[in-house]
């Protein structure tokens, strides 16, 4: 017997929607140096003052990164340039970048990450070694983001990850620098929230920005997940209902954000916001946020 078409999933309840909107307040976005034209097209959809992280890619040079940070500021947003520790070839290279950011007025907020290279290109093997140089505050940095990995890291043990996060939090406090944690994007909201709860249990009070995959083609989304060691294609497909034989659709962050909202407890998780990994879809992500904010709650 044909059961007929499947009923559409119900929309979020008023309480879940309110929690989701709270998480979306002061959301942040990610872009590369080459995304400036996309940012210009999408800027009317993005609230003024939004934090926009500018990645530190190996195939982009200093001037591209500086120009992107200037564009973010020019369009009325808050630039958060990345510093990739293992990609920095020397102390002089780090100082040149920081000096350029200071000259442009775009360097008060940065995100310091370890970076992809298996071997450091210079003297910095991790984010902590950059923070400990004292150069950040010397060049006018006031707020530093660091990375968190709720679903683990393919090349680093959980024990090392927890110790590194605690050390970075302590180092920032010792230098009187503000800070926050930006997590790698994930797909399992329960696991992410459990990780944030453990962050608090370990005495780390830094605000957390949970990495959320923005709208992206499913094939691209899964390729990023595989690259970063986040789950597997099959498990992602099961959880989110994708067909592995038809991966050309678009996966939105709706379910993940609503699952976060259902489980989020300020008393347990502390200050939590959302950071969108756009995968080159800066405009699509901005449109999705605007549309989600405008949707009514179920029963409203």
């Amino acid at each position: 017997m044909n059961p007929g078409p499947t009923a559409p999933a119900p929309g979020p309840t008023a309480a879940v929607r309110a929690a989701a909107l709270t998480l979306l307040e002061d959301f942040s976005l990610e872009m590369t140096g080459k995304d400036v034209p996309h940012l210009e097209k999408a800027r009317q959809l993005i609230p003024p003052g939004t934090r926009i992280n500018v990645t530190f890619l190996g195939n982009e040079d200093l001037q591209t990164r500086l120009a992107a940070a200037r564009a973010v500021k020019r369009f009325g947003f808050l630039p958060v340039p990345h510093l990739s520790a293992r990609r920095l070839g020397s102390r002089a290279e780090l100082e040149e970048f920081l000096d350029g950011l200071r000259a442009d007025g775009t360097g008060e907020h940065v995100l310091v990450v370890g970076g992809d290279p298996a071997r450091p290109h210079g003297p910095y093997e991790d984010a902590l070694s950059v923070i400990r140089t004292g150069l950040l505050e010397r060049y006018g940095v006031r707020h530093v983001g660091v990375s968190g990995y709720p679903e683990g890291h393919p090349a680093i043990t959980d024990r090392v990850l927890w110790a590194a996060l605690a050390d970075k939090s302590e180092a920032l406090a010792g230098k009187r620098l503000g800070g926050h944690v930006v997590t790698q994007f994930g797909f399992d909201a329960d696991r992410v929230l459990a990780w944030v709860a453990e962050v608090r249990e370990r005495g780390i009070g830094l605000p957390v920005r949970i990495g959320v995959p923005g709208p992206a083609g499913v094939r691209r989304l899964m390729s990023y997940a595989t690259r970063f060691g986040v789950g597997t294609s099959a498990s992602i497909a099961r959880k989110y209902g994708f067909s592995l034989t038809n991966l050309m659709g678009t996966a939105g962050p709706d379910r993940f954000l609503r699952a976060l909202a259902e489980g989020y407890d300020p008393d347990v998780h502390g200050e939590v916001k959302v950071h969108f990994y756009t995968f080159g879809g800066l405009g699509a992500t901005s449109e999705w946020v605007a549309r989600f904010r405008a949707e009514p709650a179920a029963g409203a």
Side-chain angles (χ1 to χ4, degrees):
M1 178 181 295
N2 186 346
T6 302
T13 65
V16 170
R17 174 165 175 74
L21 291 176
T22 296
L23 292 172
L24 273 177
E25 291 175 359
D26 190 30
F27 69 90
S28 52
L29 297 165
E30 188 130 334
M31 64 176 281
T32 71
K34 297 175 182 177
D35 283 334
V36 173
H38 302 298
L39 178 63
E40 185 170 12
K41 289 180 181 178
R43 60 178 174 167
Q44 299 301 326
L45 294 169
I46 305 172
T50 295
R51 303 172 68 90
I52 299 184
N53 291 15
V54 180
T55 57
F56 193 108
L57 298 181
N59 61 356
E60 294 182 346
D61 60 18
L62 172 66
Q63 294 308 316
T64 299
R65 299 174 191 127
L66 292 175
R70 288 196 298 268
V72 171
K73 181 182 178 182
R74 184 170 70 250
F75 294 145
F77 309 119
L78 177 65
V80 185
H82 287 198
L83 290 166
S84 180
R86 285 191 288 274
R87 290 193 185 280
L88 293 166
S90 65
R91 180 184 176 96
E93 184 179 339
L94 172 58
E95 291 202 63
E96 183 181 13
F97 189 30
L98 291 173
D99 188 49
L101 294 173
R102 180 174 63 179
D104 292 337
T106 57
E108 288 194 4
H109 296 250
V110 300
L111 180 77
V112 186
V113 299
D116 293 335
R119 293 185 178 181
H121 295 174
Y124 310 115
E125 64 175 338
D126 54 25
L128 183 62
S129 61
V130 172
I131 294 170
R132 283 176 169 167
T133 63
L135 292 175
L136 300 181
E137 59 269 36
R138 186 182 304 175
Y139 280 90
V141 174
R142 297 291 176 262
H143 191 102
V144 179
V146 296
S147 300
Y149 298 89
E151 297 192 27
H153 189 288
I156 307 174
T157 67
D158 286 348
R159 180 183 61 80
V160 172
L161 289 173
W162 281 118
L165 184 57
D167 289 344
K168 287 181 285 190
S169 176
E170 182 179 351
L172 292 176
K175 293 180 174 297
R176 298 184 180 180
L177 290 168
H180 67 279
V181 180
V182 179
T183 76
Q184 184 51 263
F185 73 90
F187 299 96
D188 188 335
D190 292 338
R191 188 168 178 181
V192 170
L193 288 170
W195 181 88
V196 177
E198 186 168 354
V199 168
R200 304 310 181 209
E201 290 170 1
R202 289 173 177 264
I204 300 170
L206 295 174
V208 174
R209 290 184 174 269
I210 294 177
V212 177
V218 177
R219 188 182 297 278
R220 177 183 292 184
L221 193 60
M222 290 188 176
S223 71
Y224 273 95
T226 301
R227 173 184 170 190
F228 289 109
V230 183
T232 65
S233 294
S235 66
I236 294 167
R238 283 196 303 272
K239 185 172 181 63
Y240 290 91
F242 304 154
S243 168
L244 287 174
T245 61
N246 182 17
L247 299 181
M248 300 309 292
T250 296
D254 308 56
R255 294 187 184 184
F256 183 75
L257 182 60
R258 287 168 182 161
L260 282 177
E262 288 175 353
Y264 172 57
D265 181 345
D267 292 334
V268 173
H269 303 111
E271 184 178 344
V272 172
K273 298 299 178 185
V274 169
H275 175 74
F276 287 100
Y277 290 91
T278 63
F279 306 118
L282 196 59
T285 300
S286 303
E287 290 173 1
W288 180 90
V289 173
R291 188 168 58 250
F292 186 92
R293 285 176 153 178
E295 289 177 355

